[in-house]
Amino acid sequence: MKIFSPEDLSKALLPTGTPMFSDLIARIKADSSLDAIRKRDMVSGLQRVATALGMAPSNVPAAPQWLQPRLEVTSHAALNITQKSWKNLVSDARAALAHCGIVNNRRNQQKDLTPGWHALWENACKSGKVHSALGRFVHFLDRLGVQPDEVGDQHVKVFHEALVGDEIRKNPKASLRNAVNAWNRAVKHVPGWPQTRLQGLAPKVDKIKLPLESYPSSFAADLTRFKETAGQVSFFDESNKRPLAAGTIFAYSRVLERFAGGLVRADVPPERITDLGALLSEEMIETGLRWFYARYENQITPGLKEMILVLQQVSRRHLGRAEHPLLDKYAQRLPSKQPGLTAKNRARLRPMMVPAMTSQIIKLPELLIERAGQETTHKACLMRERAIALAILLYCPIRRGNLVSLDLDRHLQRPGDGKVYLVFPKDEVKNRQPLEFELPPQLVRMIERHISLRSPRLCPPGTPYLFPKRDGSRPMQAEQLADSLKLCLKRELGLDVNMHLFRHFAAHLLLKSAPGNYEAARRLLGHSRLSSTINAYTGIETTEVSRRYGEIIEGLKQ
């Protein structure tokens, strides 16, 4: 049987006769209406975008739907060019597609608007309160003949459909979201703007989890009891069970609530879900798991696998059932965990390990600190906060829950010899392994400068948390810091990474310099068992080993 690559399959979905970049290059070179410089820029844009995709121009379809998801995740830093240069290249390539009639030209000028829209847009520009994304939406509506007072949610959907066939780099949903947000901002800030607020695209599916008030009060009470007792184990308990960490208890609770919501979606009356015992009865387990299995298109997804294992653990721990025949049967059928990183994490980690990119990642915290200087503006304070978070993740690859909870008094230990240690007791760590790192002097100086300059912009003076909620009452939500860092890395380096990937990054760097030293990686990451480290990172040195082997082969040619 012939084997097809993912690229072969994706191109097979394109319409017959879809031109390739090479076809566009030939047309542009033969077009006498273009001046030499414009012709050069368009051809160069097509060629260099193809190179960025790792393909020859003859293999790159000139189709926005094919290009957009690939160009969106292409990192300019991995190509060793600036973000501005990458945008210019994509812009030249897009101009080539527009010249050949594949996408629309974007020469939107205010003078082209009809009188009704012209006056409104002039007011919007003078206000300084709207995002530039609104201009594209306004010109789109005007060309359709839609008057300002006629705009409604139906036009949002039509605009999204147009974006899908027109974007080659930006995510159409993101472009739509920016336009809708800008419109609603204009409703609030621009005099005379139509007062109709618009909604973005409806989510694909409704949330499964329901409010606890949807069930009998006894269910919420039993769930609360589980949260309170799961982290406690009596000295006299003979079950040998370990107390669960706070983060694990939270995750288990979310799974239980989601499973209860799935049961309701499967037409189980919510009043029947009276407590966790009822939730985990064989009838409910069978009904709920079949509903989720069908929802996931008859696939055992990571989420469904986690759900089965969590339900099994709650049955044992909270209900005291040594066995649950149905859950035990399904748990035994689950596919065993594959060693190594997932394909998704490997794909995200790969650009980080390009030497030029690795260097830029390591230099980024100090670059941001230098850029912020001694300024006390909100922007500068946020920049320093992000820089410190990135630096800690680089030097101390801790989990995001520990990072965001960092207390300046409790977690930064100063024994008096000039050194500073980052210390987390075992009760605050997911796997109950104490963590301790010696902070490098430059990171300590970064933290001290930030603390001296951040108030009152980010928090009140004397706030004990390094990453506080803005009123200083407690640490910020982990998602807030995660989103901030993700946006920063995307903007600065073109990377699409999450905070946890820095733990994989640390292990990769360590194992690259010392292949096979899993014990050092275990200690660095705070794993409780060496097997966990080996299972997670087995084969991570393969790229380095294959590179060295390639050098041996090349050497033998001499």
Side-chain angles (χ1 to χ4, degrees), residues 282-323:
E282 291 212 353
E283 178 191 355
M284 297 291 192
I285 292 294
E286 186 75 24
T287 301
L289 291 182
R290 286 187 178 277
W291 185 85
F292 278 102
Y293 186 62
R295 175 183 173 82
Y296 296 138
E297 299 179 349
N298 298 336
Q299 298 290 323
I300 299 295
T301 64
L304 183 55
K305 180 178 179 180
E306 178 194 29
M307 178 176 288
I308 292 172
L309 296 176
V310 166
L311 296 177
Q312 184 186 45
Q313 285 297 313
V314 174
S315 175
R316 291 175 180 175
R317 300 179 66 95
H318 188 67
L319 302 180
R321 299 174 181 171
E323 297 181 356

Side-chain angles (χ1 to χ4, degrees), residues 148-170:
D149 58 356
E150 297 174 346
V151 178
D153 290 331
Q154 68 273 24
H155 300 112
V156 172
K157 183 177 180 181
V158 174
F159 184 52
H160 177 254
E161 292 172 356
L163 288 173
V164 169
D166 197 56
E167 291 284 13
I168 72 164
R169 182 177 65 87
K170 294 180 181 178

Side-chain angles (χ1 to χ4, degrees), residues 205-217:
V205 294
D206 296 330
K207 290 184 177 180
I208 296 175
K209 190 175 77 168
L210 300 175
L212 286 176
E213 296 75 20
S214 307
Y215 311 100
S217 58

Side-chain angles (χ1 to χ4, degrees), residues 28-279:
I28 290 169
K29 286 182 175 180
D31 193 334
S32 58
S33 67
L34 291 170
D35 63 65
I37 294 178
R38 191 61 181 142
K39 189 180 295 188
R40 178 203 65 193
D41 290 344
M42 287 184 181
V43 170
S44 175
L46 291 170
Q47 290 174 335
R48 295 188 66 182
V49 166
T51 300
L53 294 173
M55 304 172 73
S58 58
N59 289 328
V60 180
Q65 296 93 326
W66 190 92
L67 290 167
Q68 187 276 320
R70 291 162 177 80
L71 294 183
E72 184 188 14
V73 298
T74 301
S75 165
H76 65 84
L79 301 173
N80 203 24
I81 60 175
T82 65
Q83 185 178 28
K84 186 175 186 301
S85 295
W86 173 238
K87 287 184 176 180
N88 288 340
L89 286 177
V90 175
S91 178
D92 288 336
R94 192 189 186 285
L97 267 68
H99 181 75
C100 294
I102 294 171
V103 297
N104 295 319
N105 226 317
R106 289 185 183 169
R107 295 194 181 94
N108 293 328
Q109 298 185 25
Q110 186 173 331
K111 64 181 180 63
D112 296 330
L113 293 171
T114 55
W117 281 112
H118 187 281
L120 274 178
W121 186 237
E122 190 171 27
N123 285 343
C125 294
K126 289 178 180 178
S127 73
K129 297 285 188 179
V130 295
H131 192 278
S132 57
L134 181 57
R136 193 174 176 190
F137 188 37
V138 164
H139 281 271
F140 173 79
L141 294 168
D142 192 34
R143 292 190 185 108
L144 289 181
V146 179
Q147 297 302 310
D149 58 356
E150 297 174 346
V151 178
D153 290 331
Q154 68 273 24
H155 300 112
V156 172
K157 183 177 180 181
V158 174
F159 184 52
H160 177 254
E161 292 172 356
L163 288 173
V164 169
D166 197 56
E167 291 284 13
I168 72 164
R169 182 177 65 87
K170 294 180 181 178
N171 187 321
K173 289 185 178 179
S175 297
L176 179 74
R177 182 172 59 250
N178 290 338
V180 170
N181 289 342
W183 174 280
N184 291 336
R185 187 171 175 81
V187 169
K188 183 177 180 180
H189 294 288
V190 178
W193 198 268
Q195 292 302 293
T196 303
R197 294 184 63 84
L198 301 179
Q199 299 290 326
L201 293 177
K204 290 179 67 175
V205 294
D206 296 330
K207 290 184 177 180
I208 296 175
K209 190 175 77 168
L210 300 175
L212 286 176
E213 296 75 20
S214 307
Y215 311 100
S217 58
S218 55
F219 175 72
D222 200 18
L223 186 61
T224 300
R225 191 157 49 250
F226 165 74
K227 295 177 183 179
E228 293 172 347
T229 59
Q232 304 169 3
V233 174
S234 170
F235 174 76
F236 302 100
D237 194 337
E238 298 181 0
S239 64
N240 294 323
K241 62 183 179 183
R242 294 189 304 172
L244 299 181
T248 304
I249 295 172
F250 177 74
Y252 278 24
S253 300
R254 291 187 63 177
V255 170
L256 292 170
E257 291 186 57
R258 182 175 171 82
F259 184 68
L263 283 170
V264 175
R265 296 301 180 90
D267 297 327
V268 173
E271 55 268 19
R272 290 188 57 194
I273 307 174
T274 54
D275 55 21
L276 295 185
L279 183 74

